[in-house]
Amino acid sequence: MNFDDTEAADEFFDFDLSEDQAINNRITTRFVRKDIKATLSKNGLFSFGRGTPVDLIDISSKGVLIRSHKKLNIRDKIMLELKFDSGKTFEVQGIVVRKPSLSNIRYGIKFKRYNDELGDYLLETQKELIFK
């Protein structure tokens, strides 16, 4: 393909992003994993030791997307326990940054800090190439 013609180049590179793609601010690879069990605890005075199992939709070294019927609010501080089928466990502090609409039960959680060890372990143990 010859891009000497500016109009032809514009047509080649002209594409529309869907609404979901346009609002995706993540800069790390999100892995879809079925070998991780996730338990969420809200950080607070009365929630000590009360973990709630949640469904892990996808994960990166910077955060997770979960499905949970437990009501969370934007800026809620949480502790997430991630237990791999291999037995390796990570406890990660995070904050709720995305809250679901009325018909949705998905929450976006950003980790308090970048977790190199978790990121490396995700790459090392990735068996299937399923990522977003």
Side-chain angles (χ1 to χ4, degrees):
M1 183 173 280
N2 186 352
F3 290 120
D4 291 337
D5 180 11
T6 306
E7 188 174 317
D10 287 344
E11 287 179 22
F12 180 77
F13 290 107
D14 185 29
F15 57 92
D16 293 325
L17 293 175
S18 71
E19 187 176 324
D20 288 341
Q21 291 171 322
I23 60 172
N24 183 356
N25 295 324
R26 293 185 181 179
I27 57 173
T28 57
T29 301
R30 296 172 282 165
F31 297 93
V32 177
R33 301 288 294 260
K34 298 187 185 318
D35 63 329
I36 305 171
K37 307 259 185 304
T39 304
L40 180 132
S41 301
K42 275 177 91 171
N43 291 348
L45 204 53
F46 301 108
S47 56
F48 179 75
R50 293 186 186 165
T52 303
V54 296
D55 294 326
L56 187 69
I57 298 170
D58 64 47
I59 184 169
S60 76
S61 57
K62 292 189 171 194
V64 294
L65 181 62
I66 62 166
R67 184 178 303 116
S68 175
H69 292 285
K70 181 178 181 76
K71 186 177 187 297
L72 299 170
N73 297 305
I74 298 292
R75 292 187 291 279
D76 275 354
K77 294 177 182 168
I78 58 96
M79 175 65 74
L80 198 62
E81 181 183 79
L82 303 169
K83 186 171 185 173
F84 288 75
D85 285 349
S86 66
K88 180 85 170 167
T89 301
F90 291 89
E91 287 188 356
V92 186
Q93 292 182 353
I95 186 166
V96 177
V97 294
R98 190 173 108 193
K99 186 177 175 179
S101 62
L102 293 175
S103 63
N104 196 346
I105 54 174
R106 294 179 176 196
Y107 293 91
I109 297 172
K110 180 180 175 183
F111 296 151
K112 187 173 180 179
R113 62 184 166 297
Y114 183 79
N115 192 319
D116 287 328
E117 186 182 356
L118 174 61
D120 291 344
Y121 197 76
L122 285 167
L123 285 173
E124 289 171 17
T125 59
Q126 183 72 19
K127 294 177 185 167
E128 299 178 50
L129 291 178
I130 302 173
F131 48 87
K132 292 182 181 179

